[in-house]
Amino acid sequence: MKIAFIGQKGIPATSGAVEKYAENLAARLSEMGHDVLVYTRNNYTEKSLVKYKGIRLIHIPSIRSKNLETISYTFLATIHALFQEYDVIHYQSIGPASLSFILKFFKRKTLVISTFHSRDYLGKKRSEFAKRYLRFGEKIACKFSDKTIAISKNIRNYVFSKYKIKTVYIPNGAQTEYNCQTQALDRWELKDKKYIFCIGKVIKSEGIKYLIEAFKKIEDTNKLPNNMKLVIVMDDSN
């Protein structure tokens, strides 16, 4: 199949959970023999890079603005996709998925999939207009996509409660191999296999408070090894 990814900033991923998700999924689909293309933003992926891990990269310009960069890139990528013969187009996040209806209107035989990564409008730093637009994108992603992927049970339950639509629940995976920098461990006085690590965003939907509460409860019952610590690394950009 010929599969295109729209919505992520680009690959190879240098930051961002969505970018990591898109890179790993696209690479695995390519390994399976599919023809995979990823639309990248010019200010994220080097223009000279045209192929990565078997994935073809399509470079798209965007308006360098906090409120217009994502939507301008997504619009141009969507217009480009209209003139391609893709079997599947996979939108990442509810913001970019707001334009998926264009493809469904003009390319009805093309399967459109949207992955609902997060309720991004819950972030405190977004303007009221941005929050309203993301809610609009959420509705489009859920109602116009042929399939909507929910990466958590909370999102799956939320979509069904609000829109009466059944999503496909596919939790994110994680690479088990890692290379930990000992300088970071020393700085925070952490010892190997003596800490629980969590990385996420400072938004309500991440549910970090439940992790903290669970850790405290287990700690209070003395079921944790001595000196076990909970380490939370968070990105407050949203």
Side-chain angles (χ1 to χ4, degrees):
M1 289 194 297
K2 196 172 184 180
I3 305 169
F5 284 66
I6 297 176
Q8 65 293 311
K9 295 176 184 176
I11 60 171
T14 58
S15 65
V18 173
E19 284 65 42
K20 287 287 186 182
Y21 170 95
E23 178 183 328
N24 282 281
L25 179 57
R28 282 162 173 72
L29 288 171
S30 178
E31 289 173 1
M32 294 170 64
H34 298 293
D35 184 10
V36 183
L37 303 94
V38 170
Y39 285 87
T40 69
R41 303 184 199 180
N42 285 342
N43 64 331
Y44 188 89
T45 302
E46 290 291 335
K47 294 182 183 179
S48 59
L49 188 64
V50 295
K51 202 164 189 178
Y52 179 75
K53 293 184 178 180
I55 306 161
R56 289 193 281 159
L57 307 182
I58 303 174
H59 298 270
I60 297 292
S62 60
I63 298 174
R64 297 296 298 275
S65 164
K66 179 180 179 181
N67 294 321
L68 297 177
E69 182 175 332
T70 299
I71 198 65
S72 60
Y73 143 82
T74 304
F75 176 75
L76 293 175
T78 299
I79 295 302
H80 183 277
L82 282 175
F83 299 94
Q84 311 303 311
E85 294 302 320
Y86 296 134
D87 297 299
V88 178
I89 296 179
H90 189 175
Y91 279 89
Q92 307 300 322
S93 301
I94 56 176
S98 64
L99 299 182
S100 60
F101 72 92
I102 297 175
L103 281 163
K104 286 311 302 176
F105 184 80
F106 291 103
K107 305 276 287 187
R108 299 190 178 185
K109 291 184 179 180
T110 300
L111 292 176
V112 173
I113 297 174
S114 295
T115 292
F116 196 150
H117 289 275
S118 172
R119 295 171 65 187
D120 296 324
Y121 47 80
L122 296 178
K124 295 181 179 180
K125 290 189 175 182
R126 299 189 185 277
S127 66
E128 191 59 35
F129 174 79
K131 290 179 180 180
R132 289 184 180 182
Y133 186 82
L134 286 169
R135 289 181 183 276
F136 165 75
E138 170 187 285
K139 187 174 182 178
I140 296 295
C142 296
K143 292 199 169 187
F144 281 82
S145 301
D146 293 292
K147 287 292 181 181
T148 302
I149 297 171
I151 67 165
S152 72
K153 291 182 179 179
N154 283 341
I155 291 176
R156 179 192 64 183
N157 296 339
Y158 166 76
V159 172
F160 185 75
S161 174
K162 187 173 181 64
Y163 302 106
K164 300 297 183 273
I165 293 172
K166 292 184 178 180
T167 57
V168 180
Y169 167 53
I170 305 177
N172 289 343
Q175 292 179 327
T176 55
E177 296 181 3
Y178 66 94
N179 181 18
C180 183
Q181 299 295 323
T182 56
Q183 297 94 328
L185 295 181
D186 294 339
R187 178 184 177 187
W188 300 106
E189 299 181 356
L190 300 173
K191 295 182 180 180
D192 189 31
K193 297 182 181 179
K194 287 288 187 177
Y195 62 93
I196 297 172
F197 183 77
C198 172
I199 186 168
K201 298 179 181 179
V202 187
I203 54 176
K204 184 178 179 180
S205 60
E206 290 285 298
I208 296 298
K209 71 171 186 177
Y210 300 115
L211 172 62
I212 295 172
E213 290 172 359
F215 182 84
K216 286 181 176 178
K217 286 182 179 179
I218 297 175
E219 191 176 40
D220 290 342
T221 59
N222 296 318
K223 291 183 179 180
L224 285 173
N226 291 334
N227 300 318
M228 180 67 74
K229 296 182 178 181
L230 174 62
V231 180
I232 301 175
V233 178
M234 308 196 78
D235 175 9
D236 65 355
S237 61
N238 288 320

